């Protein structure tokens, strides 16, 4: 965190349980100055074993909680977008391996203000192949707490299309 003159106020690092690669992909700041970061983090020494890692830091840089998500494929899970609403609920989305560990599905998660997982919504597209909210994706939550996610989806016609999903 930097002040208005560009002076560093604090820096925070995260080293996940795999003691290996950890990558931040998105952040959000709430009205109290808390900072939320999401991305992915190696879980073990296995080359494809990454989980979503979402962290809440206090306004002073202290780590308040870490929430990790390991999808049903027990393989690659990459979160790419985050949204924090006015009530402190945290929403993240990204791509996770399907139960076979091969193809990606959308996985969108809602966390409580304390980092507890409240729900996970997964989407497997018509092509049953790669469905990826990726770096060209977006996540938004409206005033009625409808969740919107957009990204890519491999269609049954064999092409990538963009896909937008609304969750209530």
């Amino acid at each position: 965190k930097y002040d208005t003159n560009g002076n560093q106020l604090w820096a925070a690092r995260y080293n996940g349980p795999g003691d290996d690669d950890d990558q931040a992909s998105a952040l959000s700041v709430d009205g109290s100055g808390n900072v939320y970061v999401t991305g992915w983090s190696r879980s073990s020494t296995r080359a494809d074993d990454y989980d979503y890692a979402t962290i809440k830091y206090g306004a002073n840089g202290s780590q308040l909680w870490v929430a990790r998500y390991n999808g049903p494929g027990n393989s690659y899970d990459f979160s790419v977008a985050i949204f924090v609403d006015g009530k402190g609920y945290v929403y993240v989305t990204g791509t996770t391996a399907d139960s076979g560990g091969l193809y990606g599905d959308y996985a969108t998660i809602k966390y409580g203000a304390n980092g507890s997982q409240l729900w996970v919504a997964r989407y497997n597209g018509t092509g049953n192949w790669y469905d990826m909210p990726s770096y060209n994706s977006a996540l938004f939550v409206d005033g009625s707490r409808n969740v919107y996610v957009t990204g890519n989806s491999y269609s049954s016609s064999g092409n990538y299309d963009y896909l937008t999903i609304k969750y209530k």
Side-chain angles (χ1 to χ4, degrees), residues 143-156:
S144 299
R145 290 208 179 83
N146 294 303
V147 180
Y148 303 86
V149 180
T150 192
N152 299 317
S153 179
Y154 196 79
S155 70
S156 57

Side-chain angles (χ1 to χ4, degrees), residues 84-102:
V84 180
D85 72 15
K87 299 280 186 183
Y89 293 108
V90 179
Y91 305 81
V92 298
T93 196
T95 257
T96 71
D98 63 12
S99 59
L102 297 175

Side-chain angles (χ1 to χ4, degrees), residues 3 40 58 61 91 96 113 116 158 167:
D3 67 16
W40 52 90
Y91 305 81
T96 71
S116 61
Y167 298 107

Side-chain angles (χ1 to χ4, degrees), residues 2 27-28 51 60 62 85 98 108 117 143 152 167:
Y2 295 92
L27 70 85
S28 186
D51 295 335
N60 63 356
S62 61
D85 72 15
D98 63 12
T108 303
Q117 183 179 296
N152 299 317
Y167 298 107

Side-chain angles (χ1 to χ4, degrees), residues 25-27 38 52 79-84 91-95 106-109 132-142 146-152 162-167:
S25 58
L27 70 85
T38 197
Y52 285 20
S79 62
V80 297
I82 190 167
F83 188 95
V84 180
Y91 305 81
V92 298
T93 196
T95 257
Y106 279 50
T108 303
I109 304 171
M132 303 175 292
S134 56
Y135 290 109
N136 58 347
S137 67
L139 168 66
F140 182 76
V141 180
D142 67 20
N146 294 303
V147 180
Y148 303 86
V149 180
T150 192
N152 299 317
Y162 69 83
L163 171 74
T164 303
I165 302 171
K166 176 183 177 182
Y167 298 107

Side-chain angles (χ1 to χ4, degrees), residues 106-121:
Y106 279 50
T108 303
I109 304 171
K110 179 180 180 181
Y111 295 106
N114 63 354
S116 61
Q117 183 179 296
L118 301 178
W119 55 256
V120 176

